[in-house]
Amino acid sequence: MFFGLIASGKSTLAHAWAARLGIPHFNSDRIRKDLAGENGSSGRHPFRQGIYTVSFTEKTYAALGEMAEKALQQGDSVVLDASYRQRADREYIRGLAKKHGACARFILCSCPEPELKRRMEERARDPEAISDGRWEIYLQQKKVFEPPDELTPEELISLPTMDSVDLLLDKLSTLLAE
């Protein structure tokens, strides 16, 4: 599971990791937009409003969990990609993995705020971008992000995402092999 704050590189890295391994990748932004009938477009939804209300977020994370569970039931690995800012959401994924005898690994993606801001500005100019992440939302999300102190050192990998995707994938391969 790739998680972290807006623009931390989690989706880029999750997509690349899933492609490298040839396994399914489920992205919360895409699932949220599909559930809302927004066909994967980016919008200007405010923090905790519209499709970002607590109840819609719960619906989105439930759909992520259902997709992951289907893959796990078939004995497949899966990559999940979402902020997972609440302990309860991460605990749910841990429980799902345990239920299916899978090993849950949590990759916390991060980078300095100036880079986060630069990435958000770049994304705002990209007509293909699906994320609604903006600086004002990041500031709110940062206030409510619960640190992953419930995770064991074996479950958690903290990964700064300033390097190239290829280098990050190589680092991740090494860290997961340890």
Side-chain angles (χ1 to χ4, degrees), residues 1 112 178:
M1 182 178 76
E178 293 176 354

Side-chain angles (χ1 to χ4, degrees), residues 77-102:
S77 294
V78 64
V79 171
L80 300 180
D81 160 20
S83 293
Y84 283 103
R85 68 177 183 258
Q86 294 181 315
R87 281 180 195 90
D89 294 325
R90 296 186 298 262
E91 288 288 348
Y92 174 73
I93 297 304
R94 284 172 97 190
L96 212 85
K98 185 176 181 178
K99 175 181 173 184
H100 294 284

Side-chain angles (χ1 to χ4, degrees), residues 19-78:
R20 179 180 269 197
L21 298 181
I23 61 177
H25 165 226
F26 302 120
N27 171 278
S28 64
D29 289 325
R30 185 163 310 285
I31 291 168
R32 184 184 304 271
K33 298 298 175 84
D34 288 348
L35 290 171
E38 292 189 9
N39 301 318
S41 62
S42 183
R44 301 287 298 175
H45 300 280
F47 186 69
R48 290 192 174 163
Q49 294 181 36
I51 64 171
Y52 293 95
T53 61
V54 171
S55 63
F56 206 93
T57 296
E58 288 171 354
K59 182 178 178 181
T60 301
Y61 279 47
L64 270 170
E66 288 170 13
M67 295 169 123
E69 184 154 33
K70 284 180 184 175
L72 292 171
Q73 285 171 339
Q74 296 173 2
D76 295 333
S77 294
V78 64

